[in-house]
Amino acid sequence: MRPSQNWLRGLVKDRPHAAMIAAFAAFLISGAFVAPGVPFIIDGGIYLDMARAMAEGGSLSIGGNGDVENTPALVKLLTVAHDGKVMPQYPSGYALFAAPFFMLFGVHGLMLMNALSFGLCVWLTYRLARMFYPEMTARWSAGVFAIATFAPTYMFGIWPHMIALAFWLGAIVAAVHAARATRRDLFLLAGFLVGCGINIRVDAFLAGLIVFFWLRLFARPQDRLSPLLLFIGAAPGLIFSAWLNSLKFGAFTPFSYGEPTGLDSTARYLPIAFAAGAALITVWAVNIPVLSRAALSKRFWPYTAFAFCMVVAAVIGFAPLRDFVWRVMDGLYVLVINLQAHDAYYQEGVERNDYGHLLFWDYPKKALIQSLPWMALCLFSLWNAFRRQMITIAGLSFLAIAAPVSFYALNEWHGGGSYSMRYFIPALPFLAMLAADGFLTLQKNKPLDRQTFLAALVAAAALYLGLNELGQANERFLAPAALYPQWVIALALAGAVLVYAILQKNSARKAATAISLFAFAYAATINVYEEIVHERTRAEQRALAADISSPLPAGALVLTPLQTSLIPAERKGVFVMAVADGRPEENGAAAMAFAKAGRCVYFHNPRAVSKVEAFLTAPLDPAPLWAPSQRFGDDPRLAFFTFSGAPQHCRAPYADKPATPQ
């Protein structure tokens, strides 16, 4: 069913929906200015630095050496040094997009850009769904994405996810329209949008792979020219990204984070890159649907079965291949089912409590299904789509979900500082579309009674908030209360849908519909609550950062493991260098050079001291200096250390608290 070409005219006539959209836009714009104007995690701090450097100086670099002789580049986490300058590892296309917003509205401009991108993604989800489904399903798809996924928890932050997703969805919408209207010029546009997206987030290349495989496997398997046009369209963006990386890192490649940095190194994904390259060539050269029909024909199916058995035997018998498959399967389990099983590394805010619960800012981190307990509806929708011969939407949805999920499952990369699986955000619009279709299939496409919806929402909210109170009251139950109910809901929904699919009884349909509605309401409650926690945490971080930064004098150097807490200090001329494994000699050299130049030097809490002290040539005063704070008292993040012979003006602003912080 083709979408109306007069959608804007229809929207104006549909006054209730027009009013709702206007209210939504007002909410996004006002929220961007009301929400606390601070980053949520380290990544956001780097993106803020990038936007500020581009807006204020037109620079790709976010720092240098403080103009102090014999000082190395004052690098932070997620940055690299190149030609004496500090370069962010992330694609600098974000800085170019964000700079005008920062120039107009400062840090809130970045949040406004993000909020508007979120609104655009909601609309693109609707438009894409409308290309395959009826109007009601398209509206439900947009609603599920906007309310019942974790996408809203990223709408008011300083993140690249929403603007990158806008390019993902824009490219896919253009490609679908091109395939349906037989307009090959739109494949160039789709490729161009993919290239732009790569300049925001490197993983946007997956959008190009999704469109390529969708065209060759499902939409236009006889057409070999259109996929090539996709790559031609992406070329300008790829070349531009490579040029920016050559300026930043000295490497003319669109896929680079500079020096290898462990979990962030693109080298970790070389196996999947080689596999994808081989698959691209094979799928482009061979008409897979025709070959598949031949392979499954009565004449050839014994040979196909034998080949399948040989592949299984190779996976079992060949150790590297077996280990690769096991690693992906284990990653899928951890990231999709049970993130608490992850052997996570330490980083700011990410830690385990005394009961082994994996937390971020004292709140349990969740796997995908623990944010979206309604995912069984997606399998129901896919089954229905293949049964109804709706191959194009089923194939597109499967590829768009599988690509980011399998890519990040390869190395169990959980997204670091986040409550939910933020790297799976590109899959959310397609999960939302499938869930909306599955639910409305159960609902027989009838309008939903408001009282029923409100009852489900109240019941879900009461259960979730009650369990949350239990977890807050007793830390032993913190993760179980926040995570385990989603497993129960997901299993109940899967069972109900399976019973209905087998029996096709009206009673089974009603049960599955009721559980689906409760699952949507529970997911919405989770994600609305998370957004509230996001903003509350950021407000607390802003207040703490203000107290930490207030005594620091301009021109001082702070070596810290907590760089985001010093953003206010940087705005008044304080220099910040991250303390991390692998660079203690550079930290020591920077500290001694600043001290020799007569600058104040501070080591932020005992962790900084323990990592750097062995590389200093002057003794440290064992007594900490405390930044005064009425709200945060003796929080160890308020403690600093300095050299024994530091000038008095470097000590004067600090409170006298002799106890050593723990």
Side-chain angles (χ1 to χ4, degrees):
M1 187 175 182
R2 291 177 63 85
S4 171
Q5 299 300 313
N6 298 317
W7 65 271
L8 184 58
R9 184 182 304 169
L11 180 62
V12 172
K13 291 181 179 180
D14 190 354
R15 291 183 179 179
H17 288 98
M20 184 173 64
I21 291 171
F24 180 54
F27 167 73
L28 292 177
I29 294 170
S30 60
F33 291 95
V34 172
V38 291
F40 190 55
I41 61 171
I42 293 173
D43 307 58
I46 298 300
Y47 284 112
L48 173 58
D49 288 341
M50 293 166 62
R52 178 180 289 128
M54 183 59 64
E56 295 180 351
S59 175
L60 299 176
S61 167
I62 62 172
N65 69 347
D67 295 325
V68 175
E69 189 176 357
N70 298 323
T71 301
L74 304 176
V75 294
K76 299 179 179 180
L77 296 176
L78 308 180
T79 69
V80 298
H82 181 67
D83 289 340
K85 297 180 179 179
V86 180
M87 296 293 183
Q89 68 173 25
Y90 295 125
S92 288
Y94 176 88
L96 298 173
F97 278 99
F101 288 89
F102 187 87
M103 292 171 69
L104 291 172
F105 305 111
V107 64
H108 288 280
L110 306 185
M111 297 161 64
L112 176 63
M113 179 181 72
N114 207 49
L116 294 177
S117 297
F118 172 74
L120 178 59
C121 290
V122 173
W123 180 77
L124 286 170
T125 300
Y126 164 80
R127 294 299 297 162
L128 183 59
R130 192 65 185 87
M131 290 178 167
F132 296 100
Y133 297 113
E135 176 70 19
M136 183 181 293
T137 306
R139 291 183 178 182
W140 267 83
S141 299
V144 170
F145 171 75
I147 300 173
T149 72
F150 50 84
T153 61
Y154 297 90
M155 62 183 168
F156 292 137
I158 303 172
W159 299 93
H161 295 291
M162 284 303 142
I163 187 170
L165 179 60
F167 282 112
W168 277 65
L169 289 174
I172 292 173
V173 167
V176 171
H177 186 61
R180 292 164 65 93
T182 320
R183 286 188 55 186
R184 282 180 168 156
D185 57 311
L186 290 179
F187 287 116
L188 292 172
L189 174 62
F192 178 76
L193 292 173
V194 170
C196 290
I198 289 171
N199 282 272
I200 305 297
R201 280 188 57 84
V202 170
D203 62 4
F205 80 92
L206 292 172
L209 296 183
I210 291 166
V211 173
F212 177 90
F213 284 107
W214 177 69
L215 288 172
R216 294 295 299 144
L217 297 179
F218 300 103
R220 299 169 65 91
Q222 75 289 348
D223 181 2
R224 289 186 175 84
L225 177 59
S226 295
L228 294 181
L229 294 177
L230 185 74
F231 287 109
I232 293 172
L238 291 170
I239 293 171
F240 185 66
S241 177
W243 176 66
L244 290 177
N245 285 338
S246 70
L247 297 177
K248 291 166 56 179
F249 313 129
F252 190 81
T253 170
F255 306 112
S256 176
Y257 274 6
E259 298 173 359
T261 53
L263 286 171
D264 299 318
S265 174
T266 53
R268 294 174 62 87
Y269 298 101
L270 285 178
I272 201 170
F274 283 118
L280 281 171
I281 295 172
T282 302
V283 171
W284 182 81
V286 178
N287 190 323
I288 298 297
V290 172
L291 182 64
S292 299
R293 287 193 292 270
L296 296 175
S297 65
K298 186 175 181 179
R299 178 181 178 185
F300 291 104
W301 76 261
Y303 303 101
T304 304
F306 176 75
F308 177 77
C309 292
M310 292 299 294
V311 170
V312 173
V315 170
I316 296 173
F318 187 50
L321 188 58
R322 182 178 66 245
D323 293 343
F324 176 80
V325 172
W326 175 253
R327 186 171 61 172
V328 173
M329 296 300 293
D330 181 63
L332 289 173
Y333 167 74
V334 170
L335 301 186
V336 176
I337 306 297
N338 183 21
L339 192 60
Q340 295 293 310
H342 197 294
D343 185 19
Y345 61 93
Y346 172 83
Q347 72 176 82
E348 184 180 355
V350 179
E351 58 187 0
R352 291 190 183 274
N353 64 8
D354 293 339
Y355 298 96
H357 305 154
L358 182 61
L359 310 177
F360 176 61
W361 297 130
D362 300 322
Y363 189 75
K365 286 176 64 66
K366 295 186 295 301
L368 184 62
I369 203 168
Q370 291 166 335
S371 293
L372 313 177
W374 42 258
M375 283 177 58
L377 287 171
C378 301
L379 297 177
F380 179 59
S381 177
L382 281 174
W383 177 74
N384 273 327
F386 281 112
R387 189 167 60 89
R388 292 178 293 181
Q389 298 297 308
M390 296 176 62
I391 302 300
T392 53
I393 181 56
L396 178 61
S397 298
F398 174 78
L399 290 171
I401 294 166
V405 171
S406 59
F407 180 72
Y408 286 106
L410 177 65
N411 289 306
E412 290 188 17
W413 185 213
H414 60 91
S418 59
Y419 298 133
S420 50
M421 284 303 308
R422 62 188 177 99
Y423 286 164
F424 292 168
I425 284 177
L428 294 183
F430 300 90
L431 289 167
M433 284 192 292
L434 291 176
D437 175 62
F439 176 75
L440 290 174
T441 300
L442 292 173
Q443 183 74 4
K444 299 292 185 181
N445 290 309
K446 296 178 181 177
L448 185 65
D449 180 71
R450 290 184 180 180
Q451 290 183 337
T452 304
F453 177 77
L454 288 175
L457 188 60
V458 169
L463 177 61
Y464 179 78
L465 294 176
L467 291 172
N468 186 69
E469 286 299 316
L470 173 65
Q472 294 297 324
N474 189 330
E475 194 175 14
R476 180 188 298 273
F477 301 111
L478 181 59
L483 304 177
Y484 295 174
Q486 290 91 299
W487 286 344
V488 176
I489 295 169
L491 285 173
L493 179 56
V497 168
L498 182 61
V499 169
Y500 171 66
I502 294 172
L503 300 181
Q504 293 292 307
K505 298 287 187 180
N506 193 51
S507 58
R509 181 188 65 80
K510 290 182 177 179
T513 302
I515 299 174
S516 300
L517 190 57
F518 184 82
F520 280 138
Y522 203 83
T525 304
I526 291 171
N527 294 300
V528 169
Y529 181 83
E530 277 191 8
E531 171 55 17
I532 294 172
V533 172
H534 264 100
E535 305 311 330
R536 186 176 64 199
T537 301
R538 288 203 296 162
E540 182 175 308
Q541 289 175 328
R542 179 176 59 184
L544 178 61
D547 287 352
I548 289 172
S549 300
S550 62
L552 294 168
L557 171 67
V558 182
L559 293 106
T560 180
L562 308 170
Q563 63 195 45
T564 54
S565 65
L566 292 161
I567 290 175
E570 290 183 277
R571 293 305 295 155
K572 63 179 184 179
V574 174
F575 296 95
V576 173
M577 186 179 192
V579 171
D581 296 333
R583 60 169 74 113
E585 298 94 337
E586 296 176 13
N587 292 145
M592 296 313 304
F594 266 72
K596 184 178 179 181
R599 306 278 193 94
C600 297
V601 178
Y602 300 97
F603 301 84
H604 192 186
N605 81 27
R607 283 174 53 205
V609 173
S610 65
K611 290 181 178 294
V612 183
E613 190 171 18
F615 299 90
L616 303 175
T617 58
L620 294 177
D621 188 336
L625 304 172
W626 289 87
S629 174
Q630 293 183 350
R631 177 176 176 180
F632 299 100
D634 296 337
D635 190 306
R637 290 171 290 185
L638 294 164
F640 292 86
F641 295 83
T642 190
F643 291 110
S644 298
Q648 183 59 32
H649 73 271
C650 296
R651 303 171 179 272
Y654 289 88
D656 184 17
K657 294 182 182 180
T660 300
Q662 299 298 317

